[in-house]
C-alpha cells in the first residue's frame, strides 16, 4: 500500500492532537499529558534546534562555493543579491504590517496572556535582563557581536547564529578565492556534509506528525487546564494567525511580484504565472525549494524564455538564499508570539526582526521545516520566548507548503528581472512574455 504523504500524516497528527487534548481536558486528565505526551513534543523541538547550527553552516558554505569565482559575485551576483535582498525585506515588512494590523496574538483573552507571561516569567525576566545588558553597551555592539573571538564557541549556542553566518560567508569566499586543487576536496566535503544534514532534517520530519500531535495535545492541556472553552479560544487564535500569514503570502504573489515585474520588465504577469505554475505546484507538494529547483529551472527557461546562463546562476542561488515567503512568515510568527506573551515590541525591536528575519531566511536551507528552525534565531535575537514556537508548530506544515510557493515565485521573478537587465546592458532581444511597447 502506498504510504500517506507526509503533509497528510501531519494533518492527521494535528487533528488527533486536538481531539486527544480536548478529551484529556474534559476528563480532567491533564497530568497524563504532562507526564506521557508533552515530553515527545519537547524532544521534537530539541531535535529541530539541534540541527540549526550545522544546517546554516553547511548550506551557506555550499551555496557560496558553488560560485565559480568571486568576481562572479560582483557582476551578475551583486545585481541578483541586491534584488533578492530587496524582495526579502519587502516581504518581512509586509508580514510585520499585516500582523500589526490583525494582531492575532492579542486575540487571546487578557487572562490567557497573563497566564502565558506568568508561566514564562522566568524566561522573559532573563531575557529582559539580557536586553538591559545589551542596552548598556555601545551603539556598535551588535556589529562587534557578529564577529566572534572564538568560532568554536559560536557553534555551541544557537543564539550566536549571526556569528556562524559571518564565519560561513568568510569561509566560503576564501574557498572560492583560493581555487587550488587542494581546496577541491574541502568543497566536496561541505557539499557532502550539507547533503547529510538535509537528510537529518528529513529524518526529523518523519517524526513531525508525532511531534505535532504531542505539542498540540500538551499545548491545549497547558493552556486550558480543565477548561474546554480556553482550548476553543486557542484554536480560534491559531486560525487568525494562519490567516494573517496566508494573506501576506497571497499579496506577495498577486500584488507585489506583478507590480515589480510590470515596473521593471513590462513582463505579462499572466504569462509569467502560467509559465511557472508547474513549479508552484511542485513547491506546494514538496515544501522544498531545493527539491523544486529542477522544475523551476525548466519552467523559467522553457516557458518564460530566460537564458540558461542566467537561470542556472540566479535560481540555484535563490533557492538557497532568497526566501520571501519564509521571511514574511517569520516576521508574522515572531510578532504573533510576542503578542501572545503580552510583550509589546518597540519599532526598534521590529526593525531588528526585519534584519534577523532577512538573515534567517537567507540562512534557511531549502527543505521542509527549515523556516521554523531559523525562527529560533529571530526569536532569540528579539528576546521573545522561544518556547512560543510550540504555539505555532501545529499549522506550520501547511504554511510551509504555501511559503515555499512564494519562495520559488520570488526566485523566478528576480530571474526574469536579472535577465532583462542583462539583455538591456548587452543590447540583446526581449523576453517572450514582454509586451510589445517594452521593446
Ligand atoms: N520549505 C521552505 C523552502 O524550501 C523553507 C521554509 O521552511 O520556510 O523554501
Amino acid at each position: 500500500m502506498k504510504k500517506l504523504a507526509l503533509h497528510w500524516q501531519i494533518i492527521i497528527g494535528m487533528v488527533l492532537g486536538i481531539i486527544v487534548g480536548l478529551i484529556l481536558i474534559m476528563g480532567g486528565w491533564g497530568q497524563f499529558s504532562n507526564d506521557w505526551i508533552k515530553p515527545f513534543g519537547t524532544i521534537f523541538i530539541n531535535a529541530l534546534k539541534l540541527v540549526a547550527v550545522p544546517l546554516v553552516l553547511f548550506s551557506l558554505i555550499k551555496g557560496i562555493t558553488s560560485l565559480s569565482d568571486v568576481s562572479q559575485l560582483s557582476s551578475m551576483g551583486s545585481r541578483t543579491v541586491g534584488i533578492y535582498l530587496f524582495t526579502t525585506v519587502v516581504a518581512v515588512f509586509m508580514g510585520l504590517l499585516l500582523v500589526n494590523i490583525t494582531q492575532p496574538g492579542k486575540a487571546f483573552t487578557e487572562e490567557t496572556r497573563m497566564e502565558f507571561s506568568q508561566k514564562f516569567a522566568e524566561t522573559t525576566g532573563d531575557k529582559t535582563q539580557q536586553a538591559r545588558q545589551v542596552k548598556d553597551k555601545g551603539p556598535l555592539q551588535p556589529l562587534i557581536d557578529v564577529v566572534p573571538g572564538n568560532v568554536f564557541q559560536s557553534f555551541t549556542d544557537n543564539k550566536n547564529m549571526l556569528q556562524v553566518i559571518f564565519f560561513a560567508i568568510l569561509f566560503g569566499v576564501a574557498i572560492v578565492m583560493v581555487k587550488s586543487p587542494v581546496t577541491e576536496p574541502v568543497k566536496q566535503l561541505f557539499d557532502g556534509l550539507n547533503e547529510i544534514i538535509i537528510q537529518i532534517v528529513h529524518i526529523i520530519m518523519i517524526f513531525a506528525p508525532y511531534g505535532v500531535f504531542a505539542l498540540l495535545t500538551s499545548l491545549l492541556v497547558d493552556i486550558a487546564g480543565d477548561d474546554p472553552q480556553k482550548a476553543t479560544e486557542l484554536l480560534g487564535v491559531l486560525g487568525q494567525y494562519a490567516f494573517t500569514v496566508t494573506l501576506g503570502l497571497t499579496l506577495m504573489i498577486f500584488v507585489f511580484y506583478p507590480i515589480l515585474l510590470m515596473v521593471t520588465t513590462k513582463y505579462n504577469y499572466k504569462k509569467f504565472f502560467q509559465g511557472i505554475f508547474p513549479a508552484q505546484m511542485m513547491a506546494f507538494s514538496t515544501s522544498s525549494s531545493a527539491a523544486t529547483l529542477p522544475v523551476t529551472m525548466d519552467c523559467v527557461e522553457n516557458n518564460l524564455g530566460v537564458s540558461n546562463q542566467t537561470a542556472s546562476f540566479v535560481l540555484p542561488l535563490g533557492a538557497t538564499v532568497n526566501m520571501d515567503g519564509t521571511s514574511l512568515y517569520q516576521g508574522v510568527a515572531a510578532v504573533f508570539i510576542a503578542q501572545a506573551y503580552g510583550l509589546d515590541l518597540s519599532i526598534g525591536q521590529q526593525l531588528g526582526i526585519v534584519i534577523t528575519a532577512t538573515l534567517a531566511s537567507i540562512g534557511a536551507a531549502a527543505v521542509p521545516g527549515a523556516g521554523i528552525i531559523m525562527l529560533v534565531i529571530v526569536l532569540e535575537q528579539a528576546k521573545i520566548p522561544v518556547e512560543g514556537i510550540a504555539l505555532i508548530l501545529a499549522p506550520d506544515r501547511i504554511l510551509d507548503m504555501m511559503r515555499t510557493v512564494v519562495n520559488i515565485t520570488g526566485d523566478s521573478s528576480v530571474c526574469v528581472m536579472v535577465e532583462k537587465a542583462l539583455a538591456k546592458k548587452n543590447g540583446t532581444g526581449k523576453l517572450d512574455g514582454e509586451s510589445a511597447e517594452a521593446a
Side-chain angles (χ1 to χ4, degrees):
M1 205 180 80
K2 213 168 146 267
K3 218 170 153 245
L4 207 57
L6 185 63
H7 58 269
W8 285 115
Q9 293 183 32
I10 294 178
I11 291 171
I12 293 172
M14 277 169 66
V15 175
L16 286 180
I18 294 171
I19 296 173
V20 173
L22 290 175
I23 294 174
L24 294 178
I25 293 164
M26 287 190 275
W29 300 307
Q31 197 52 39
F32 177 82
S33 157
N34 286 341
D35 290 343
W36 297 102
I37 297 180
K38 192 174 178 177
F40 292 101
T42 312
I43 291 170
F44 184 63
I45 290 204
N46 283 352
L48 287 175
K49 281 162 102 175
L50 85 89
V51 287
V53 168
L55 193 64
V56 173
L57 191 65
F58 303 149
S59 110
L60 252 184
I61 293 178
K62 190 203 146 144
I64 294 173
T65 53
S66 60
L67 297 170
S68 62
D69 61 63
V70 180
S71 70
Q72 220 186 325
L73 257 183
S74 57
S75 60
M76 178 158 17
S78 59
R79 193 168 266 129
T80 309
V81 171
I83 312 175
Y84 274 159
L85 268 180
F86 170 72
T87 56
T88 307
V89 170
V90 169
V92 194
F93 268 112
M94 171 98 83
L96 289 179
L97 183 73
L98 290 176
V99 74
N100 278 293
I101 295 172
T102 58
Q103 306 212 325
K106 292 203 173 157
F108 283 117
T109 57
E110 193 59 39
E111 199 191 332
T112 315
R113 269 191 285 146
M114 287 286 284
E115 268 174 41
F116 267 133
S117 45
Q118 262 162 22
K119 209 172 265 170
F120 298 101
E122 220 173 277
T123 338
T124 320
D126 266 9
K127 307 264 175 200
T128 325
Q129 179 87 14
Q130 288 166 12
R132 218 166 281 138
Q133 280 169 6
V134 171
K135 244 173 129 189
D136 291 343
K137 292 178 180 166
L140 289 184
Q141 191 61 39
L143 202 62
I144 298 173
D145 290 342
V146 172
V147 186
N150 179 341
V151 78
F152 292 99
Q153 227 164 37
S154 318
F155 295 156
T156 61
D157 192 342
N158 284 348
K159 284 194 201 94
N160 298 331
M161 203 55 82
L162 291 184
Q163 300 182 346
V164 177
I165 291 175
F166 175 80
F167 177 76
I169 293 175
L170 200 61
F171 196 83
V173 167
I175 291 181
V176 176
M177 285 169 85
V178 172
K179 242 199 257 131
S180 131
V182 286
T183 54
E184 196 47 39
V186 181
K187 188 172 165 302
Q188 280 175 4
L189 172 71
F190 277 96
D191 287 359
L193 288 172
N194 188 50
E195 296 271 311
I196 293 168
I197 209 76
I198 286 179
Q199 187 57 40
I200 295 180
V201 173
H202 286 153
I203 295 171
I204 296 174
M205 290 311 282
I206 295 175
F207 296 96
Y210 307 100
V212 164
F213 166 80
L215 285 166
L216 211 54
T217 303
S218 54
L219 189 67
L220 283 177
V221 171
D222 264 3
I223 293 176
D226 293 331
D227 180 358
Q229 185 120 30
K230 278 231 176 106
T232 330
E233 177 192 341
L234 174 69
L235 295 178
V237 175
L238 274 186
Q240 290 191 37
Y241 154 75
F243 169 78
T244 309
V245 176
T246 311
L247 179 65
L249 296 176
T250 312
L251 288 175
M252 289 299 287
I253 292 205
F254 292 105
V255 179
F256 178 63
Y257 296 133
I259 292 179
L260 195 66
L261 277 176
M262 250 337 271
V263 171
T264 58
T265 68
K266 305 264 188 306
Y267 203 93
N268 179 332
Y269 196 69
K270 195 165 162 227
K271 182 163 183 343
F272 172 85
F273 199 84
Q274 280 168 349
I276 59 158
F277 191 68
Q280 288 178 325
M281 284 302 96
M282 188 70 179
F284 188 76
S285 44
T286 60
S287 280
S288 165
S289 307
T292 313
L293 186 61
V295 187
T296 318
M297 291 183 70
D298 181 57
C299 291
V300 169
E301 284 179 36
N302 298 326
N303 303 346
L304 305 185
V306 172
S307 69
N308 171 265
Q309 202 195 9
T310 308
S312 64
F313 170 76
V314 177
L315 292 175
L317 187 69
T320 338
V321 302
N322 183 51
M323 300 196 182
D324 301 343
T326 303
S327 64
L328 182 146
Y329 140 84
Q330 285 172 337
V332 175
V335 177
F336 168 73
I337 294 171
Q339 287 169 352
Y341 279 82
L343 300 172
D344 268 326
L345 297 176
S346 65
I347 297 281
Q349 278 170 303
Q350 299 214 22
L351 286 179
I353 292 180
V354 174
I355 297 172
T356 45
T358 302
L359 290 173
S361 70
I362 291 173
V367 295
I372 198 157
I373 297 174
M374 301 305 288
L375 182 63
V376 174
I377 303 160
V378 181
L379 296 179
E380 278 180 340
Q381 300 268 339
K383 320 268 184 274
I384 300 167
V386 176
E387 295 78 355
I389 282 196
L391 275 176
I392 55 158
L393 235 141
D396 197 67
R397 177 63 184 211
I398 298 162
L399 297 180
D400 191 4
M401 294 161 84
M402 294 194 281
R403 65 188 186 242
T404 309
V405 172
V406 174
N407 289 347
I408 66 107
T409 309
D411 297 344
S412 308
S413 309
V414 174
C415 195
V416 170
M417 287 168 68
V418 171
E419 173 81 352
K420 170 72 189 176
L422 292 178
K424 213 172 180 177
K425 199 171 144 212
N426 303 332
T428 45
K430 69 186 184 71
L431 297 169
D432 292 353
E434 270 181 86
S435 58
E437 72 273 21

